[in-house]
Amino acid sequence: MDDLPSAYELNTISADRIAALCAELAEARWSSAQLVLDHLQEFPPQPAQLARVKAASLAGIYELRLRQDPGLTERTLDLARFAETLRAAPQEFVHFFPIQMKEGRALVAATENLQRPLASTAVRGTGMAPQTSTANASAIDTLPSRRAAELCETLTGAGWQAALAAVEMIASSSVTEFPVWLATPQTLARHYSEQANEPARLHIDANRFAQAMFERNPREKILTFHLFDPYGWQITCAITEDFSAPIAVAATKRGLPR
């Protein structure tokens, strides 16, 4: 029994394997993979958390980010190539893992058996998220990350584009639970209607989110949780008070440090 891998080992990739996969990508002229190798030479290599996802879904997340914000190419490496490669990948499912670096984050995708790398991309900066202690002070409860993923996957199946980014962020995060806040449908409807109508504000599904809130019972209590990705987006997911069903999800663009 002592020879069986732990749950941690099953859900992580070793530092040696990370280096090997990135070396293959670097040889194929993936600049983002070379950036990871440079980082690993300067800092002690660490295992990374693995996540499994459909290749087409991961491609869709990055296609959507590029479509909404073409300026991302100025802050990223291999972003368009990453999306194109995964869109054309013959595999239905892939593994991916994040690498947090001194000046940003890289994401590497590989075959399910981790024998062959597929693509990589990197973004400079990590976005601006509220200070954890301040932001969590008003939270009323927490939501396990696995349940959060299930709820967002349901929204993905219902055609919510912002849910794709939410699923990726949850899958690549080491956080085991997310704080949740209480809100009213009217407040959320008004806020996201304003977001959708602000000309300079980039958003995904804000109109649909606002409409979903307008259609709820005004006396209903809604729970929300928030995700902050390194590409400058805040993703807000709304669920029922009993955690049983998702209602809506939207993403709005925040500032990204240069």
Side-chain angles (χ1 to χ4, degrees), residues 104-258:
R105 189 196 75 157
L107 198 75
V108 181
T111 54
E112 279 197 272
N113 61 8
L114 300 178
Q115 293 303 302
R116 187 166 63 86
L118 297 173
S120 63
T121 185
V123 58
R124 186 174 69 250
T126 56
M128 295 187 299
Q131 293 295 321
T132 301
S133 58
T134 303
N136 293 356
S138 59
I140 66 162
D141 207 340
T142 57
L143 176 68
S145 57
R146 178 170 294 185
R147 182 59 182 150
E150 292 170 349
L151 293 167
C152 290
E153 284 167 0
T154 299
L155 290 170
T156 298
W160 291 81
Q161 291 183 304
L164 290 169
V167 169
E168 185 224 0
M169 285 307 299
I170 294 168
S172 62
S173 173
S174 59
V175 173
T176 59
E177 57 186 20
F178 297 97
V180 295
W181 287 265
L182 191 62
T184 64
Q186 303 99 310
T187 300
L188 292 170
R190 183 169 58 253
H191 176 73
Y192 282 93
S193 179
E194 291 172 354
Q195 295 278 309
N197 292 318
E198 188 177 334
R201 172 76 67 174
L202 290 174
H203 63 84
I204 303 169
D205 289 329
N207 274 317
R208 187 177 178 186
F209 189 105
Q211 186 58 41
M213 292 301 117
F214 278 126
E215 293 172 358
R216 308 299 293 190
N217 184 328
R219 291 189 292 273
E220 183 179 4
K221 295 178 181 178
I222 305 291
L223 296 180
T224 64
F225 63 95
H226 307 285
L227 305 163
F228 301 89
D229 81 4
Y231 297 88
W233 293 86
Q234 175 181 322
I235 306 157
T236 298
C237 304
I239 62 176
T240 55
E241 187 184 11
D242 61 0
F243 295 77
S244 66
I247 301 171
V249 59
T252 55
K253 194 71 163 62
R254 302 169 291 113
L256 187 68
R258 294 184 177 274

Side-chain angles (χ1 to χ4, degrees), residues 33-172:
Q34 184 59 57
L35 194 66
V36 174
L37 291 179
D38 294 343
H39 171 80
L40 295 179
Q41 288 182 350
E42 186 177 354
F43 298 93
Q46 300 290 331
Q49 182 164 326
L50 277 174
R52 180 176 178 267
V53 70
K54 285 188 175 181
S57 295
L58 195 55
I61 294 166
Y62 285 89
E63 289 166 348
L64 180 61
R65 285 172 173 148
L66 270 174
R67 193 162 58 245
Q68 285 282 2
D69 186 8
L72 272 180
T73 54
E74 299 174 6
R75 309 184 187 102
T76 59
L77 293 173
D78 301 321
L79 191 62
R81 186 182 179 189
F82 183 89
E84 291 167 3
T85 300
L86 288 173
R87 178 62 67 185
Q91 298 89 352
E92 182 180 6
F93 287 92
V94 299
H95 269 119
F96 71 88
F97 54 90
I99 303 293
Q100 193 64 45
M101 300 179 293
K102 181 171 64 174
E103 297 182 353
R105 189 196 75 157
L107 198 75
V108 181
T111 54
E112 279 197 272
N113 61 8
L114 300 178
Q115 293 303 302
R116 187 166 63 86
L118 297 173
S120 63
T121 185
V123 58
R124 186 174 69 250
T126 56
M128 295 187 299
Q131 293 295 321
T132 301
S133 58
T134 303
N136 293 356
S138 59
I140 66 162
D141 207 340
T142 57
L143 176 68
S145 57
R146 178 170 294 185
R147 182 59 182 150
E150 292 170 349
L151 293 167
C152 290
E153 284 167 0
T154 299
L155 290 170
T156 298
W160 291 81
Q161 291 183 304
L164 290 169
V167 169
E168 185 224 0
M169 285 307 299
I170 294 168
S172 62

